[in-house]
Amino acid sequence: MWRYIIQIIVFQLVFLLVYESFLKKETFFKANRWYLLLTPVLSLILPFASFTALSEVLPASAVTAINNTIKLPEVFIGGNQPQVQQLPTVHIKAEKTGAVNWWLVAYALGSFMSLLLFLKRWRVIGKLFQFKAEDKKDFKIVEIPNSRVAFTFLKTVFLGSDISAKEREYILAHELIHVSQKHSLDLLVFEILKVLFWFNPLVYIFQNRIAALHEFIADEAVVKKTSKKQYFNQLLNSAFDTQNLSFTNQFFNQSLIKKRIVMLQKNKSTTIAKFKFLLVLPLLAMMLIYVSCSDERDVSSDDPTGDIDNLISKIQNKDNLSEDEKIELVKVLQAVEEKMEGTSFKEENKVYEVRGWADTNDVPFAVIEEVPVFPGCEYLKSNQERKECMSQKIAEFVAKEFDTKIGNDLLEEGDLVRVIVQFKIDETGNIRDIRARAPVPELEEEAKRVVNSLPQMTPGKQRGKAVGVVYSLPISFTNG
């Protein structure tokens, strides 16, 4: 959800910057109107757009690198590369709680307040309809007694009774342009966006810009039928009451008078200036490529490191390989396994593996003569049986001890994240050198706490001597 909102705001900001930098001063008022009307709505749709063909232009890994900075491979200095035993993934699902989503509450409250403000302004308009109305062919005029208001809403022109006949002539010609071109509908679109995206200041700026364009369009049409000088004098010398109604087109708006006169005095923009609108095409292309390439896809449930474990087991059981050859082959495979663990992050309803690491030269688990033994697994004879027993016991222990409530305030409901924990069972059977990597620090600390509380084990042995063995434990955590 946050990713979607941020993309909307960024896309709208880019479109708005293009307008302010290249289009605002041009006299293509109608084209600018459609630009300001369509681009905010287009920004709501673009984050959902995804095209496979475009995703091939820029690999997803490149987008990840852009978002998370480029990370170089780990460099090992002194001795051989570390050997880490990969334990099966522990799946933990947090129980749903009755915790209040305060972000949702704040959004709903803001939308409700925005809706109330809109309905309040709508009520003001409704009260004005009770005054005397004069029906025309395609519109009607409502006369407001003892007032000098002048504005339009939909097909109705509201005029104060204190406006003189001469002023009324200019104003009515101006307001009828708003009626015929349905400018009120544009403003109502932004009123809806303000209710839904009340927290986004760009929506208010877009509405302000399109309201100004409405006045430029109407002024341009009026001066084609009358003298510019007379119309300027009318704008400068008239003083009208105004209504605080953001979805109406008001003839007299003090902040716009100077801009309207400046625009009326400008020369027509050249035809070649229309090519500025082509700037939208590369912008759209870049946005679509970004969205298509950063569209996270579900990670396969098949763990490729499991295949490597199988290969290691086969190497271990080969009779025609020397002990040194086995160790070298296992080291190569485990080095490949290390590179397969990618750097990434958490997103809603997706799993992204986080890179593990190691920094020890202990004996590889796959070729060790006697693997470490978890309490309760001593009666088993073979390394394979003890390995499976240890995996099961650790999974049960972690699932039981992990505090599932920790995700309530950190993750959204349905989020699926992966925590990688690395630890060493040393020569005495104790747990040490615990490291963890997770999308949020709190999950890292909780994973370390749980692993640190594992019971003391019987250490692994090689040629009769106790040795340390390093393990990597993936934890898949689902919130709710």
Side-chain angles (χ1 to χ4, degrees):
M1 177 59 72
W2 285 112
R3 176 174 170 270
Y4 173 63
I5 292 173
I6 291 172
Q7 285 186 350
I8 289 175
I9 294 175
V10 170
F11 291 166
Q12 287 183 349
L13 178 61
V14 171
F15 284 130
L16 186 60
L17 288 175
V18 169
Y19 175 77
E20 294 288 328
S21 303
F22 301 102
L23 305 175
K24 184 178 180 180
K25 295 181 180 180
E26 303 298 337
T27 59
F28 306 122
F29 301 135
K30 292 182 180 179
N32 280 346
R33 174 196 175 189
W34 286 108
Y35 179 90
L36 290 177
L37 186 62
L38 294 177
T39 51
V41 178
L42 189 61
S43 298
L44 305 180
I45 301 171
L46 280 174
F48 293 107
S50 179
F51 300 95
T52 305
L54 290 175
S55 66
E56 297 173 359
V57 175
L58 188 67
S61 57
V63 177
T64 302
I66 293 171
N67 289 337
N68 299 277
T69 72
I70 298 173
K71 296 179 172 61
L72 296 173
E74 192 167 359
V75 177
F76 299 95
I77 301 176
N80 297 321
Q81 284 197 13
Q83 309 305 321
V84 182
Q85 166 58 20
Q86 178 81 26
L87 291 170
T89 301
V90 177
H91 297 276
I92 300 175
K93 184 173 182 179
E95 296 181 359
K96 291 185 178 180
T97 63
V100 178
N101 188 333
W102 292 108
W103 287 110
L104 183 60
V105 171
Y107 170 78
L109 185 61
S111 294
F112 180 70
M113 294 299 295
S114 297
L115 181 61
L116 285 182
L117 289 174
F118 173 74
L119 293 177
K120 181 180 179 181
R121 292 191 290 265
W122 189 276
R123 186 181 177 187
V124 172
I125 288 286
K127 288 182 177 180
L128 296 178
F129 276 100
Q130 68 184 354
F131 296 114
K132 179 183 176 182
E134 182 182 352
D135 291 323
K136 301 292 184 180
K137 183 179 178 181
D138 297 318
F139 66 98
K140 66 180 178 179
I141 300 173
V142 173
E143 187 174 284
I144 312 299
N146 304 316
S147 174
R148 290 180 59 81
V149 297
F151 64 91
T152 301
F153 179 64
L154 297 177
K155 292 186 176 183
T156 304
V157 179
F158 295 88
L159 296 175
S161 60
D162 294 343
I163 297 175
S164 67
K166 186 176 181 181
E167 292 172 334
R168 189 185 184 96
E169 180 183 348
Y170 286 110
I171 294 170
L172 191 57
H174 177 97
E175 297 302 315
L176 287 180
I177 303 300
H178 293 315
V179 172
S180 63
Q181 297 196 17
K182 300 178 174 59
H183 289 169
S184 294
L185 295 180
D186 298 358
L187 299 177
L188 284 174
V189 168
F190 285 99
E191 288 297 318
I192 294 172
L193 291 178
K194 282 162 62 175
V195 172
L196 297 176
F197 299 96
W198 54 269
F199 52 85
N200 182 4
L202 298 178
V203 174
Y204 301 83
I205 297 175
F206 270 103
Q207 187 182 42
N208 176 272
R209 298 296 185 269
I210 203 168
L213 272 177
H214 290 164
E215 300 307 315
F216 300 155
I217 291 170
D219 288 339
E220 183 184 45
V222 172
V223 295
K224 289 179 180 178
K225 303 175 183 179
T226 186
S227 167
K228 276 189 179 183
K229 184 177 180 180
Q230 291 178 351
Y231 194 68
F232 289 162
N233 290 333
Q234 179 64 44
L235 288 175
L236 291 171
N237 297 329
S238 299
F240 300 94
D241 297 331
T242 59
Q243 293 284 333
N244 184 25
L245 301 171
S246 57
F247 50 85
T248 62
N249 296 106
Q250 302 191 42
F251 180 82
F252 185 78
N253 185 326
Q254 185 67 46
S255 63
L256 279 178
I257 291 297
K258 182 179 178 180
K259 294 178 182 178
R260 289 167 64 182
I261 293 175
V262 168
M263 275 298 180
L264 285 172
Q265 290 178 320
K266 280 180 68 72
N267 294 325
K268 287 287 184 180
S269 298
T270 60
T271 303
I272 197 171
K274 289 184 178 180
F275 285 101
K276 291 182 179 181
F277 287 99
L278 295 178
L279 290 170
V280 176
L281 297 180
L283 281 180
L284 284 175
M286 287 187 289
M287 290 175 183
L288 287 172
I289 290 172
Y290 174 79
V291 170
S292 297
C293 294
S294 62
D295 183 29
E296 292 86 357
R297 295 168 175 82
D298 291 330
V299 175
S300 172
S301 58
D302 296 331
D303 189 355
T305 59
D307 296 332
I308 294 178
D309 286 340
N310 292 334
L311 288 173
I312 292 174
S313 297
K314 291 178 181 178
I315 291 171
Q316 182 185 9
N317 295 326
K318 279 282 185 180
D319 296 328
N320 58 346
L321 294 176
S322 67
E323 194 71 18
D324 290 337
E325 288 174 331
K326 289 181 180 181
I327 291 177
E328 288 304 315
L329 284 172
V330 168
K331 286 180 179 179
V332 171
L333 286 173
Q334 291 183 329
V336 173
E337 181 181 4
E338 284 290 309
K339 292 179 181 179
M340 291 175 65
E341 295 178 349
T343 304
S344 54
F345 47 89
K346 179 274 297 180
E347 276 291 347
E348 184 177 357
N349 296 325
K350 307 289 188 296
V351 181
Y352 299 89
E353 185 169 346
V354 186
R355 190 179 187 279
W357 66 94
D359 60 356
T360 175
N361 293 317
D362 295 295
V363 177
F365 182 92
V367 297
I368 196 170
E369 294 174 354
E370 296 182 32
V371 298
V373 181
F374 196 94
C377 301
E378 298 89 347
Y379 64 93
L380 299 172
K381 302 299 181 183
S382 70
N383 273 350
Q384 185 61 32
E385 289 176 329
R386 289 180 174 182
K387 175 184 174 181
E388 293 174 357
C389 181
M390 170 180 277
S391 298
Q392 180 182 350
K393 294 286 187 182
I394 289 179
E396 292 174 354
F397 184 91
V398 172
K400 179 181 177 182
E401 297 296 325
F402 203 97
D403 183 8
T404 57
K405 296 179 181 178
I406 198 170
N408 292 340
D409 298 328
L410 303 174
L411 308 172
E412 295 184 12
E413 185 175 340
D415 281 357
L416 184 58
V417 299
R418 197 171 191 185
V419 184
I420 300 294
V421 187
Q422 182 178 287
F423 61 94
K424 177 180 179 180
I425 300 176
D426 66 11
E427 297 83 351
T428 63
N430 291 315
I431 306 296
R432 66 180 183 87
D433 298 340
I434 304 173
R435 298 180 182 181
R437 184 70 63 86
V440 289
E442 290 82 356
L443 288 175
E444 290 182 5
E445 293 304 317
E446 177 61 15
K448 289 180 182 179
R449 182 193 68 80
V450 173
V451 170
N452 190 51
S453 63
L454 286 169
Q456 185 176 13
M457 307 180 198
T458 303
K461 291 183 179 180
Q462 183 72 5
R463 297 187 179 93
K465 181 182 178 180
V467 293
V469 180
V470 179
Y471 290 84
S472 177
L473 174 66
I475 300 174
S476 176
F477 182 84
T478 305
N479 187 43

